Amino acid sequence: MKLRPLNPKRDYAIDLLRILSMLMIIFYHILHHPNLLPTRVRFTPGYDIVLFTQLCLMCAVNIYALISGYVGYGSRPRYSRLAELWLTVLCYSAGVAFLYFLFRPGSVSASELWKYFLPSLNHKYWFFSSYFILFLFRPLLHSAVDHLSRRRLKFVLISLLVFIGIISTIYTDLTGTDSYGVNRGFSAWWMMVLYLVGAYIRKYDPFSKTKRWRFLLAFFLTAAVSTALKLLVQLYAIRKMHNVRYYNSMFINYNSINLWIGALCLFFFFRGLKLTSPISRVVAFLTPMTFSVYLIHDHPLIRARIFKTAFLPLSKLSTPLMLLSALGISVAIYLLCSAIDYLRVLLFRLLRIRKLFDSLEATAIAKLKRT
């Protein structure tokens, strides 16, 4: 494997955060999909520790959206890159489904198979579907950041975070009504808000003089406070409603205040972090495969037929051993999926996919200029 030459202008600490975020997503899926939290006795230390771990991990998706804004601002949206990403999604969405269709008869019907060839239209990967819409709005978002004054942009961002990230979340948790269509943060709408925040950070570099360790401390304090509040809500629901499911979504929506504050804290901790050259080279090699790790391990069929059942035996372990095992499995899954995607990267290079899409984009732009 040939490591990439380092780009002196690239912040590899942000790429390292991207890798860490994907590991956090896998770790969370291992705990969440087989529903391991209820295997601990409620309100015992084991239960509290698993809940705290999950709340630490859940901000990873928000981090990805922040990184998109931070890295994307200042560069021209390349539709050729979106096309290449779309083709990558198609390869895994349709490819995995087709393998299940061939080798696991009955796992996916012929009538359902075609839906995997249109993943962004059939809710197969919500994050990509949201990102696709976000990408189309990038020129407008960049224009807003470029032309609004810092004070006005800050006011807009605070307003969005207050109404969509606080008021909307509380109202949805209490009433079950999604007034703004945010869908608990599973939407392009919320992703655009975080993208703007990332772009604002890139342009104005806030908190650059704050000591880095304070952000890490704030991250864990945020998770600890949200864990305590979550336990209090559960206790209230049991005593007053006789059902813990009341207000069950509190503090676990992506647009919940604890999760976007936690994402910001980790982001500020990693931003500008100095890495040694060997670590930067490994990060530079792994980064291009990171998004495909999500596409592979969270494929709907793999999620339903592997993640929901294969990790159930972890529930029989003690809480520390369960979490350590889940962490080890997360690293193994990340490396395995990266190895699979490395073959895809080599194939795309062999077929000159990027050059093909770049050429098509250049041709389209040239024709538009003549009209």
Side-chain angles (χ1 to χ4, degrees):
M1 294 184 181
K2 185 179 179 180
L3 297 182
R4 292 168 165 253
L6 296 180
N7 182 350
K9 297 182 179 180
R10 192 173 181 93
D11 190 344
Y12 288 103
I14 294 297
D15 287 334
L16 178 60
L17 177 59
R18 198 193 306 264
I19 293 170
L20 175 64
S21 298
M22 187 53 63
L23 283 169
M24 291 168 68
I25 290 171
I26 299 170
F27 195 170
Y28 175 73
H29 286 166
I30 291 174
L31 297 177
H32 174 70
H33 289 318
N35 211 13
L36 295 181
L37 178 62
T39 65
R40 311 292 101 172
V41 178
R42 196 179 301 277
F43 306 128
T44 63
Y47 182 90
D48 299 347
I49 291 170
V50 176
L51 178 60
F52 171 77
T53 302
Q54 287 189 334
L55 289 171
C56 284
L57 299 172
M58 286 190 70
C59 69
V61 173
N62 287 341
I63 292 173
Y64 245 83
L66 285 170
I67 291 175
S68 296
Y70 184 81
V71 174
Y73 177 69
S75 62
R76 179 176 66 86
R78 299 289 302 273
Y79 290 92
S80 58
R81 298 294 180 268
L82 181 63
E84 184 180 355
L85 181 61
W86 179 87
L87 183 60
T88 302
V89 174
L90 176 63
C91 286
Y92 289 116
S93 177
V96 172
F98 191 68
L99 289 175
Y100 266 91
F101 179 75
L102 289 179
F103 299 107
R104 295 287 299 273
S107 59
V108 54
S109 64
S111 60
E112 187 183 6
L113 184 61
W114 71 270
K115 294 181 180 179
Y116 289 93
F117 285 85
L118 297 170
S120 61
L121 298 177
N122 289 287
H123 306 289
K124 298 304 180 184
Y125 292 109
W126 79 265
F127 187 90
F128 173 71
S129 300
S130 299
Y131 179 80
F132 187 88
I133 300 300
L134 164 65
F135 190 94
L136 300 179
F137 276 90
R138 276 181 64 184
L140 294 177
L141 298 176
H142 289 188
S143 181
V145 177
D146 287 335
H147 293 94
L148 290 176
S149 66
R150 181 174 184 176
R151 178 179 296 180
R152 181 59 61 87
L153 180 59
K154 186 187 296 185
F155 176 80
V156 170
L157 291 178
I158 292 174
S159 300
L160 288 171
L161 290 172
V162 168
F163 282 97
I164 299 177
I166 300 178
I167 295 176
S168 172
T169 308
I170 295 173
Y171 187 76
T172 300
D173 289 336
L174 293 177
T175 67
T177 303
D178 187 8
S179 301
Y180 295 132
V182 186
N183 192 27
R184 298 174 49 228
F186 290 82
S187 64
W189 185 204
W190 175 242
M191 196 175 291
M192 288 181 198
V193 174
L194 294 176
Y195 187 95
L196 280 173
V197 174
Y200 176 89
I201 295 171
R202 181 62 177 265
K203 183 175 182 178
Y204 293 110
D205 194 23
F207 304 111
S208 57
K209 296 182 180 180
T210 305
K211 293 182 179 179
R212 197 177 303 279
W213 64 268
R214 292 183 178 179
F215 292 118
L216 191 61
L217 177 61
F219 168 76
F220 286 112
L221 282 176
T222 301
V225 170
S226 54
T227 300
L229 292 174
K230 182 73 174 175
L231 291 172
L232 288 174
V233 169
Q234 290 181 348
L235 184 62
Y236 175 82
I238 290 174
R239 290 185 174 180
K240 299 295 183 179
M241 314 291 185
H242 306 291
N243 191 336
V244 76
R245 292 186 178 182
Y246 282 91
Y247 315 127
N248 199 37
S249 63
M250 276 191 171
F251 309 108
I252 60 172
N253 299 321
Y254 287 139
N255 59 325
S256 297
I257 183 173
N258 57 307
L259 295 188
W260 55 261
I261 286 180
L264 282 169
C265 289
L266 266 191
F267 184 88
F268 282 122
F269 174 79
F270 274 87
R271 183 189 53 162
L273 185 67
K274 301 300 181 184
L275 304 180
T276 62
S277 180
I279 293 177
S280 295
R281 291 184 182 278
V282 173
V283 169
F285 174 77
L286 290 174
T287 298
M289 283 84 76
T290 300
F291 188 71
S292 293
V293 173
Y294 156 69
L295 297 176
I296 298 170
H297 94 271
D298 203 38
H299 189 283
L301 293 173
I302 293 177
R303 183 198 314 142
R305 300 180 182 279
I306 296 179
F307 270 75
K308 288 191 175 182
T309 57
F311 305 119
L312 281 173
L314 294 178
S315 64
K316 299 178 181 179
L317 303 176
S318 64
T319 298
L321 189 57
M322 181 183 78
L323 294 176
L324 285 174
S325 300
L327 176 60
I329 294 170
S330 301
V331 174
I333 290 174
Y334 179 91
L335 294 176
L336 175 61
C337 294
S338 295
I340 293 171
D341 193 58
Y342 185 68
L343 299 177
R344 192 270 312 166
V345 171
L346 294 178
L347 178 62
F348 275 27
R349 287 178 186 172
L350 180 64
L351 297 177
R352 298 184 177 181
I353 295 296
R354 177 161 294 184
K355 290 184 178 180
L356 172 63
F357 286 137
D358 285 345
S359 177
L360 291 173
E361 181 182 25
T363 301
I365 291 174
K367 288 185 177 181
L368 287 172
K369 286 181 178 180
R370 290 197 296 266
T371 58

